[in-house]
Amino acid sequence: MDEEQSRGDRNISVHRDAISSAIVSGNGNKVIVYHYHLEAAPSERVQVASQALGANPYRGLASFQVEDAEVYFGRESQVQRLWNHLRDLSRYNQVEAVPTRFLPVLGPSGSGKSSLVRAGLLPELAHCPLPGFKQPRVVVMTPGSTPLESLAVVLARIVENDATPVKKTREFLEELKLANTDGQYDGLRRIANAFPNIESSPLILLIDQFEEVYSLCKKDTERHIFIENLLEAATTPEAKTLVIATLRSDFLGETQQHQHLNQIIGSEQSIIIPAMSTEELRKAIAEPAKHANHSLDEAIIDLLIEQTKGREGALPLLQFTLAQIWEGIKKDISPNTTLKSIGGVGGALAGEAQRLYEALKPNEQNIAKRIFLGLVELGEGARTTRRRIDLDRLKAQQDDEITFRKVLRLFSEPGLRLITLASDSEGRYAAEVTHEALFEHWKQLRIWIDEGRNDIYFQRRLDEAATFWLQSNRPEGSLWRSPDLDLAKSYYSQNSYEMSSRQIEFFQASIQA
């Protein structure tokens, strides 16, 4: 297939195996995708009947995934642009000057970076393979609070073909932490180069939400080693590893902590994702509906464009609105009626969140408030990002298990998906807010954050101390003393109902010490 051939073919088939690897077939080529986070409740995928109205082709707040490529429209020129950049990086070899094969994809929250790479670029690698990358292995991961472990897990899955490769994960984690005699962290390069068939199936690492190495990872050393491993693997002459990273543009300043990474991001090698044009928005709105056997009226399309164009971070709100409109169509409710009832593109998300919250009983509302505040990561100034956290750290000791699960399930139902649940390498479930648009548009949540900012900071300190103490086999030297213990006593007297079991255990052990 010619590299410059038009990329209109959407004929792909996607299959998932036991370790949630997606195999994308297009034109006889394959892209095997390995995920770190395994979906707890995968969203409904598009399965269009020949005559009847198809399944909802809009993804709401969730990012488009590789399975959604058939209904991902409007970004064709940007997919081509990413593919061209990646092709140019992949062409360098031992003879030519070797750049770092690291492709930064930059844009504000809500600009569609994740969807562009997952549902646009990855399927395109099957339609039109990169030179020498006809059957690549693609690792899709978010860094989380422990990026080295996240990377070790997914690498171990490739080798062991096992969803929970605990032993191999430990082995790879130690390799990633080791520096060679020149002081370089080359563990990722050595692991990747030892993969079976690495010559015919090179490795592509997609680090989505790269900002998490700054917002969630609190250990400077781990952050440095993780980044060094990526850059070292992407710079070696043998060209067996490519790295793609999506990064929120308001985190560009943090990259100055690492000179090499900052230089790459500041060069022509990086890509800034522009806002969608009117025609791109029109395709993104109209084409999925046609694919699912229903055409939207031009008037409603124009109205949606008017309410979306030029608004930063509006793409997830548009998708959420379209998902609600589609559900209305299934009930014979006109799109215009639905759009008015939910308050337009700007009001749809906040209205649904508030409606669910107000329908809860008072004790359930308290749990909902605590859950959402537990999923917030406060940054400098007013910057707020998502926080992924295990459910056992989110649940307060006094919470009834059934009620806690009921509230969590209500906000994570596939039809709404304000909260996303996923399992980690050991089968534990973690939660995170599906999209940061919720922080800006849900007034109630903004009030909770503003009023509880100091308590949130203290809760984070307490939770981190309790977690470290437990993971270190409860050493007495890690317990709190005054003045921290005095603050904890004051907090406990007012907020004991908000503390998790691990926090209370740590607090009580500190008092007794």
Side-chain angles (χ1 to χ4, degrees):
M1 180 176 179
D2 190 275
E3 293 173 4
E4 303 302 327
Q5 183 174 333
S6 174
R7 291 163 168 77
D9 180 14
R10 293 174 179 269
N11 181 26
I12 64 170
S13 60
V14 181
H15 313 280
R16 284 192 177 272
D17 65 17
I19 62 170
S20 196
S21 301
I23 302 175
V24 185
S25 301
N27 302 326
N29 304 306
K30 291 183 180 179
V31 177
I32 306 175
V33 184
Y34 299 87
H35 296 266
Y36 172 70
H37 289 288
L38 308 181
E39 289 189 4
S43 59
E44 184 184 33
R45 301 303 178 190
V46 177
Q47 296 176 343
V48 180
S50 58
Q51 299 297 330
L53 185 70
N56 198 323
Y58 303 104
R59 295 276 66 87
L61 290 179
S63 298
F64 283 81
Q65 303 298 321
V66 66
E67 292 90 344
D68 303 313
E70 291 185 339
V71 291
Y72 182 67
F73 291 90
R75 286 296 201 182
E76 289 80 7
S77 64
Q78 294 304 316
V79 171
Q80 169 103 43
R81 185 176 170 217
L82 259 64
W83 189 91
N84 288 342
H85 269 62
L86 208 57
R87 173 202 58 196
D88 293 343
L89 287 175
S90 71
R91 279 176 166 169
Y92 289 90
N93 54 38
Q94 299 96 315
V95 178
E96 302 174 75
V98 179
T100 301
R101 293 176 292 276
F102 191 111
L103 178 62
V105 182
L106 314 175
S109 177
S111 59
K113 303 180 297 297
S114 296
S115 296
L116 174 62
V117 177
R118 291 175 183 243
L121 180 61
L122 296 190
E124 188 61 28
L125 295 178
H127 292 310
C128 188
L130 298 172
F133 282 68
K134 287 194 174 181
Q135 293 191 17
R137 301 176 177 96
V138 178
V139 164
V140 178
M141 60 168 283
T142 50
S145 59
T146 55
L148 282 174
E149 181 178 345
S150 299
L151 179 57
V153 166
V154 74
L155 293 174
R157 282 190 182 139
I158 295 175
V159 173
E160 299 288 281
N161 195 35
D162 181 2
T164 56
V166 177
K167 184 176 180 181
K168 183 60 71 173
T169 295
R170 290 199 192 101
E171 177 187 329
F172 281 177
L173 182 57
E174 291 306 310
E175 287 295 320
L176 293 171
K177 291 179 180 178
L178 288 177
N180 62 23
T181 55
D182 295 324
Q184 299 168 328
Y185 290 95
D186 60 352
L188 173 59
R189 178 187 62 80
R190 288 185 285 105
I191 292 170
N193 286 356
F195 280 172
N197 306 314
I198 188 62
E199 297 294 341
S200 58
S201 297
L203 181 66
I204 298 176
L205 283 168
L206 167 55
I207 316 297
D208 199 9
Q209 300 171 40
F210 192 82
E211 63 271 6
E212 289 186 356
V213 301
Y214 306 105
S215 65
L216 296 184
C217 180
K218 303 303 181 184
K219 298 178 181 178
D220 293 343
T221 300
E222 177 165 4
R223 180 186 308 120
H224 174 77
I225 294 174
F226 175 72
I227 293 173
E228 281 291 307
N229 267 286
L230 297 179
L231 296 175
E232 173 65 20
T235 306
T236 53
E238 50 264 41
K240 296 175 183 175
T241 302
L242 295 174
V243 179
I244 307 165
T246 67
L247 174 67
R248 267 177 49 173
S249 50
D250 55 323
F251 277 83
L252 290 176
E254 277 80 348
T255 66
Q256 295 179 22
Q257 300 173 25
H258 201 290
Q259 184 178 0
H260 188 180
L261 175 63
N262 187 247
Q263 289 175 342
I264 293 172
I265 289 176
S267 71
E268 294 182 355
Q269 191 166 319
S270 64
I271 290 182
I272 299 175
I273 303 304
M276 294 184 81
S277 67
T278 297
E279 286 310 308
E280 288 175 329
L281 285 171
R282 188 175 300 280
K283 291 187 71 173
I285 295 168
E287 293 302 321
K290 292 178 182 177
H291 190 83
N293 297 332
H294 185 88
S295 295
L296 296 176
D297 185 83
E298 286 297 322
I300 195 69
I301 295 174
D302 290 338
L303 184 56
L304 288 167
I305 292 173
E306 179 184 335
Q307 294 184 11
T308 303
K309 189 178 179 183
R311 295 183 56 185
E312 183 175 319
L315 292 183
L317 301 181
L318 174 62
Q319 281 291 320
F320 183 86
T321 302
L322 285 164
Q324 300 300 302
I325 286 174
W326 193 264
E327 292 305 308
I329 291 172
K330 289 163 65 175
K331 300 173 184 176
D332 292 325
I333 301 173
S334 73
N336 207 37
T337 300
T338 299
L339 188 61
K340 287 180 179 178
S341 69
I342 62 180
V345 171
L349 174 62
E352 279 298 296
Q354 190 66 23
R355 180 186 65 79
L356 289 179
Y357 172 73
E358 291 177 351
L360 297 173
K361 298 175 183 177
N363 67 314
E364 295 170 340
Q365 288 183 342
N366 289 333
I367 292 174
K369 174 183 177 181
R370 189 164 58 250
I371 286 174
F372 278 103
L373 288 181
L375 300 178
V376 167
E377 188 69 29
L378 300 178
E380 295 181 6
R383 183 167 61 184
T384 303
T385 57
R386 291 177 286 188
R387 177 182 186 234
R388 189 180 304 111
I389 184 173
D390 291 345
L391 295 189
D392 64 343
R393 296 172 62 182
L394 200 58
K395 178 179 172 293
Q397 186 179 51
Q398 72 155 20
D399 288 341
D400 173 70
E401 179 72 25
I402 294 177
T403 305
F404 175 81
R405 295 281 177 172
K406 171 190 172 183
V407 174
L408 189 65
R409 185 169 57 251
L410 179 69
F411 287 98
S412 60
E413 286 291 342
L416 184 62
R417 194 66 71 86
L418 297 175
I419 293 174
T420 297
L421 302 178
S423 62
D424 65 10
S425 61
E426 298 179 7
R428 298 172 304 201
Y429 284 108
E432 69 176 330
V433 170
T434 302
H435 203 283
E436 287 155 353
L438 193 66
F439 301 147
E440 178 183 353
H441 293 274
W442 189 15
K443 183 179 179 180
Q444 182 66 71
L445 180 54
R446 293 205 312 271
I447 291 172
W448 289 338
I449 293 172
D450 291 340
E451 291 180 347
R453 193 168 290 269
N454 290 335
D455 282 348
I456 294 172
Y457 280 125
F458 186 78
Q459 266 275 3
R460 296 295 184 271
R461 282 190 57 210
L462 179 61
D463 189 63
E464 289 172 7
T467 300
F468 177 79
W469 178 68
L470 288 170
Q471 291 177 345
S472 304
N473 296 319
R474 299 174 171 81
E476 186 172 328
S478 296
L479 295 171
W480 275 3
R481 305 288 191 271
S482 294
D484 289 334
L485 183 56
D486 296 332
L487 291 173
K489 289 178 179 177
S490 175
Y491 183 85
Y492 178 80
S493 66
Q494 301 176 53
N495 304 285
S496 60
Y497 59 89
E498 293 188 354
M499 295 171 66
S500 67
S501 298
R502 68 175 62 201
Q503 292 172 354
I504 290 179
E505 182 183 355
F506 173 77
F507 168 70
Q508 292 175 342
S510 295
I511 291 177
Q512 296 169 6

